[in-house]
Amino acid sequence: LSKNSVHQTPTVLIKHPGEEVLINCSHSNPNFDMIQWYKQSAGKNDMALIGYARFSSLVVEDQFKDTYNVTGNGGSLAFFHIAKLSRSEDSAVYFCAASKA
């Protein structure tokens, strides 16, 4: 990984209702201390912040707390988790970003 790269795995994931989703995100920039997770719904240009990991602070925005979970240390690694796909609005593009808080 280059100094400023953010790496998300898997890069492509297709799941069906009832299945679990787990996406990993890591970065290699020692100056970054936070990883954010975003959702872009089908047919939409805007993105919604789902939550973030920063040190021991793990935050999920209120509108997503019943469905999504964020874990990790934010310093270099974070995970995004959906325990069970059940809603049509869960079909979306999910991605991570890293930054200095």
Side-chain angles (χ1 to χ4, degrees), residues 12-53:
V12 175
L13 182 66
I14 297 173
K15 293 286 189 170
H16 300 284
E19 292 185 320
E20 178 182 31
V21 172
L22 183 63
I23 304 172
N24 305 315
C25 184
S26 61
H27 69 84
S28 55
N29 188 323
N31 296 315
F32 291 170
D33 58 9
M34 183 163 70
I35 294 177
Q36 306 92 16
W37 289 99
Y38 294 92
K39 174 182 179 179
Q40 184 175 24
S41 297
K44 304 264 180 134
N45 290 327
D46 59 334
M47 297 170 283
L49 174 66
I50 295 168
Y52 60 86

Side-chain angles (χ1 to χ4, degrees), residues 27-96:
H27 69 84
S28 55
N29 188 323
N31 296 315
F32 291 170
D33 58 9
M34 183 163 70
I35 294 177
Q36 306 92 16
W37 289 99
Y38 294 92
K39 174 182 179 179
Q40 184 175 24
S41 297
K44 304 264 180 134
N45 290 327
D46 59 334
M47 297 170 283
L49 174 66
I50 295 168
Y52 60 86
R54 182 173 184 246
F55 302 116
S56 61
S57 178
L58 304 170
V59 174
V60 176
E61 298 296 313
D62 288 343
Q63 70 189 49
F64 298 119
K65 283 185 177 178
D66 291 339
T67 307
Y68 306 133
N69 190 30
V70 172
T71 59
N73 63 19
S76 62
L77 182 65
F79 303 95
F80 171 72
H81 183 242
I82 304 174
K84 184 178 180 181
L85 288 173
S86 59
R87 305 175 312 162
S88 60
E89 56 264 31
D90 291 336
S91 180
V93 174
Y94 297 93
F95 63 94
C96 66

